[in-house]
Amino acid sequence: MPADPTVWDQSSVTCVVPPVQPRKLAKVPFVELADGRLQGVVSSGSDIARVYVSSIAAGSHDFNCSTNNNRPCGGLYGSLCKHLRSLVDEAVVQYGAERVARYLRVEGAETVASGADLAARLGGQQESQPAAVVFSRFLRHLGYLELPVTTAPLAEMHWFPGTVR
Amino acid sequence: MLGMQLNDLVGGLPDGLAEALELVDGFDDALSHGFGRVGEQRAAAIAALAGAVAATPLGDRVAEAAAKVPAGSVSGEHLTALAAARSALLGAAHDALLTRLDESLGRTRSPSGPPATGDSSVPGNLLVGCRSWLYELAITGWRGVGHDLAAAGDQAIEAVLAEPGARRLAVLLDGLAAELRDSSPVSTMERLPLRRWADLWTRATLLAEPGWPGSGEGAETVSGRLLPLGADVHEHGTAVQVQVHAVLEPAGGGTSRLVRVSVAAGKVDTITGPAVWGLFQAYPVLLATLAKHLAAEIDGMPLLPGGDLVWQEEKATAAELTDPFATARVLLAGAVAGETPPLDRHPARVAEPVLVEGYKAAKAGGGVTLTLDGATLPFATGRLPGCGPLTPELLAASTACVGLLRWDAGGWLLQPLAVQATVKKKPVAAHNGDWALGTTDPKAAKALAKTGDPVGVLRERAGRLLRK
């Protein structure tokens, strides 16, 4: 990216998407800000083969949490369950509190200090949301790791410089 | 690279470059507003672009396309013709810049012979899906892109990702789609990355045409000793490529060749920083040449006309210890470079290895700039990979650099691959590939330990959930 902001629009390698921060993936392998929701997948603490699909809608802050087979999460009692709290915490690590809060349209997004702070500022109530869509996005996400490594040169990657330090 | 050479390089722009870029700007502006409703002024800019290529084999087709622009009735074929015109202009800009660079450095290139022919045999219907999204984007214009249009290419991209012969198109479209998704609705953005998005759109539109040669076309088989200069790392959310620049001493003597070795993997956005090296574990010899600064003996590997060595791990063995700075000092000036394939030519693709030493570096206006014999050259601080040890601070303390000469946004830059610096009165050297077999820096190791092994965690999840 050029240091001179006046040539920003004439650069071929302008950084458009801010890079995400690395985080521990064991508990919450997937978090994204997409389809108007903060959504993701949280691994069950007790059953290694089970995952929960958790989501919070931007604007209304309505939330839901269920297994990928659409069984409702037992921890939802009109407020955020532990999966949703983990989802918020990890989203804050990955994207930064302000970016998550802004996406969810939380008032005073720039003053949100932490995941717990953000969770406390969410109104909203439980509303059923499509777990299957999020889960299939997660599977697609995992699919990238199945792509074969290639040693044929990909010239187009010159437009994508490494993460900026 | 001597001070005199640097002075010569940065002393002025090649003739005609500014005019060519102005025509490109005209196209890029039209693309941001969309070809569905082009005003008089923008239509004139497209006519000017057509005028610039009138005398070329593209002339008739582009003129026909430009004639349809004022009425807003361009078809897909017309858009492809306009993309070709833009690409031809930037290809000429690439040639002018590289000629100047070669003259300054005294670098020679082996002519690549006739362009490769053949067909990569990507199924046509996959390309049709990609083209129709690209055409829709161009008709709408960036300023009209919202969440729905940004995501409208997802199915086509998913299909093309699964096709090994279309990897270049797939990683490009995937990168562009992610940027559009993140920027939606684009109308709320203060400024648009006009050149960048037009570049990505143009390349994708051309790559989505049928009849591209397969990636192995025109290769020769080479053997010899490979001496790495350094690693260039390219990364977006779902792809990473490491490109190792090296000098190849052919077995049995002969002129040394300047080559690149590439290895690329799919990934996800949360695999970033030093963790990306974990994706290349199937290439221990290549990684060892980087992390341990070793030469490699290679035996019978394909070398493409552009200078790309297609790495085959089983045909390589790690050899003796080498110092990339010594390789650059002794061999770089006499090595013969490859000639970029015609369709790949673009200023952003210029990445020529050089050694610059004996300079003074200093932080300047948010970046770092070096001064040598009165000439100044900014470091490409936007190209310091998160998977390596180079930092702006280290650049500011450096006195020697093996790097790639780049050209972007109107000027030359030096992208460091390795630097020698003085830190706390002690000489240090740092290379982009130093952490290829694991971080050697305690601070980075600690950060990595905190996040665990993201590749391992996701592979475990994939193994359990994906194949049900």
Side-chain angles (χ1 to χ4, degrees):
Chain A
M1 194 177 8
D4 180 357
T6 59
V7 295
W8 194 82
D9 51 8
Q10 286 169 36
S11 168
S12 288
V13 289
T14 306
C15 175
V16 176
V17 181
V20 307
Q21 292 305 308
R23 60 179 185 85
K24 207 174 171 123
L25 299 178
K27 197 152 80 172
V28 186
F30 180 53
V31 172
E32 64 170 0
L33 301 170
D35 301 339
R37 286 187 293 271
L38 161 62
Q39 55 193 21
V41 168
V42 184
S43 295
S44 160
S46 54
D47 180 351
I48 196 163
R50 189 190 304 157
V51 292
Y52 288 87
V53 175
S54 311
S55 62
I56 300 170
S60 73
H61 303 162
D62 286 346
F63 54 84
N64 197 29
C65 183
S66 64
T67 68
N68 52 323
N69 305 321
N70 269 325
R71 282 166 212 259
C73 167
L76 276 179
Y77 296 106
S79 63
L80 302 189
C81 61
K82 63 178 183 183
H83 306 116
L84 280 161
R85 286 180 191 281
S86 299
L87 177 75
V88 172
D89 285 342
E90 294 300 307
V92 165
V93 177
Q94 183 165 325
Y95 296 109
E98 188 179 338
R99 191 166 159 200
V100 181
R102 210 175 280 284
Y103 191 88
L104 291 176
R105 298 204 287 276
V106 170
E107 240 172 86
E110 63 285 351
T111 64
V112 171
S114 65
D117 182 17
L118 178 56
R121 298 204 208 181
L122 296 174
Q125 40 192 303
Q126 189 190 340
E127 196 196 60
S128 100
Q129 281 165 6
V133 176
V134 180
F135 190 66
S136 74
R137 287 181 66 91
F138 174 51
L139 295 184
R140 186 182 165 190
H141 183 79
L142 290 177
Y144 281 102
L145 298 178
E146 308 279 309
L147 292 176
V149 174
T150 174
T151 58
L154 306 176
E156 287 64 36
M157 288 302 287
H158 280 265
W159 271 265
F160 299 93
T163 346
V164 182
R165 286 181 67 94
Chain B
M1 183 176 209
L2 305 172
M4 191 182 67
Q5 297 172 323
L6 180 60
N7 269 297
D8 188 43
L9 180 70
V10 301
L13 293 179
D15 288 341
L17 182 69
E19 290 83 355
L21 293 178
E22 207 174 303
L23 292 169
V24 170
D25 283 341
F27 175 92
D28 298 355
D29 176 54
L31 187 60
S32 81
H33 287 86
F35 283 94
R37 50 194 147 80
V38 183
E40 217 168 282
Q41 204 183 341
R42 294 197 183 91
I46 299 302
L49 174 73
V53 298
T56 72
L58 287 171
D60 290 348
R61 285 208 202 186
V62 178
E64 188 195 323
K68 299 283 182 193
V69 167
S73 58
V74 287
S75 68
E77 234 170 276
H78 295 138
L79 290 168
T80 300
L82 294 175
R86 183 185 186 275
S87 181
L89 269 182
L90 286 162
H94 164 279
D95 291 357
L97 289 164
L98 204 61
T99 301
R100 186 177 187 103
L101 186 150
D102 286 347
E103 284 171 2
S104 301
L105 289 177
R107 182 157 290 170
T108 50
R109 272 169 216 283
S110 57
S112 55
T117 52
D119 195 330
S120 61
S121 70
V122 176
N125 60 328
L126 294 186
L127 298 178
V128 169
C130 297
R131 287 205 298 274
S132 77
W133 180 56
L134 290 162
Y135 293 157
E136 207 181 332
L137 287 172
I139 297 293
T140 307
W142 304 127
R143 288 170 207 278
V145 173
H147 292 285
D148 290 345
L149 181 50
D154 282 3
Q155 264 190 337
I157 295 169
E158 196 170 351
V160 86
L161 267 169
E163 171 61 46
R167 195 71 173 264
R168 288 175 59 179
L169 175 62
V171 297
L172 172 59
L173 287 175
D174 214 21
L176 174 60
E179 292 187 8
L180 293 177
R181 202 162 47 234
D182 202 73
S183 305
S184 285
V186 175
S187 57
T188 62
M189 284 176 85
E190 259 172 61
R191 312 180 61 187
L192 303 187
L194 293 175
R195 176 75 55 78
R196 173 178 177 77
W197 280 354
D199 275 356
L200 301 182
W201 178 86
T202 302
R203 287 206 64 77
T205 299
L206 297 182
L207 278 173
E209 284 293 309
W212 278 71
S215 64
E217 300 286 338
E220 58 177 310
T221 303
V222 294
S223 302
R225 197 164 67 128
L226 190 76
L227 300 151
L229 291 164
D232 176 17
V233 184
H234 310 143
E235 182 180 349
H236 68 48
T238 54
V240 57
Q241 171 171 262
V242 175
Q243 218 161 49
V244 181
H245 290 259
V247 174
L248 173 68
E249 291 185 318
T255 315
S256 295
R257 314 272 291 263
L258 204 47
V259 301
R260 281 180 304 268
V261 176
S262 305
V263 56
K267 69 173 197 81
V268 296
D269 54 357
T270 44
I271 298 174
T272 185
V276 299
W277 294 112
L279 297 163
F280 300 120
Q281 279 170 354
Y283 297 86
V285 176
L286 184 61
L287 295 189
T289 65
L290 294 176
K292 298 180 178 169
H293 305 162
L294 302 179
E297 294 293 338
I298 62 162
D299 185 13
M301 263 190 221
L303 178 65
L304 303 180
D308 288 292
L309 186 66
V310 183
W311 189 259
Q312 295 172 345
E313 184 78 9
E314 68 282 3
K315 291 180 178 162
T317 44
E320 78 281 6
L321 203 63
T322 73
D323 173 9
F325 281 91
T327 301
R329 263 175 214 126
V330 178
L331 295 174
L332 194 49
V336 174
E339 205 170 52
T340 310
L343 287 166
D344 287 356
R345 293 181 192 173
H346 185 292
R349 180 64 178 60
V350 174
E352 285 297 310
V354 288
L355 168 72
V356 191
E357 51 187 342
Y359 57 77
K360 279 206 164 58
K363 292 204 168 187
V368 184
T369 298
L370 72 84
T371 312
L372 177 66
D373 284 359
T376 58
L377 184 65
F379 282 104
T381 43
R383 283 184 178 267
L384 296 179
C387 61
L390 268 59
T391 59
E393 289 69 33
L394 205 53
L395 295 184
S398 70
T399 54
C401 173
V402 174
L404 301 175
L405 279 175
R406 295 268 186 190
W407 196 88
D408 187 49
W412 291 100
L413 301 127
L414 182 64
Q415 173 190 355
L417 303 180
V419 293
Q420 289 175 334
T422 307
V423 177
K424 292 178 185 159
K425 293 184 182 161
K426 282 191 181 145
V428 295
H431 304 252
N432 273 351
D434 278 349
W435 299 347
L437 290 173
T439 52
T440 51
D441 173 60
K443 233 166 88 187
K446 210 171 149 190
L448 197 61
K450 221 168 110 188
T451 58
D453 167 21
V455 179
V457 168
L458 292 178
R459 289 230 165 100
E460 184 276 333
R461 291 284 82 183
R464 208 169 285 279
L465 301 167
L466 211 50
R467 277 169 282 277
K468 275 194 176 174

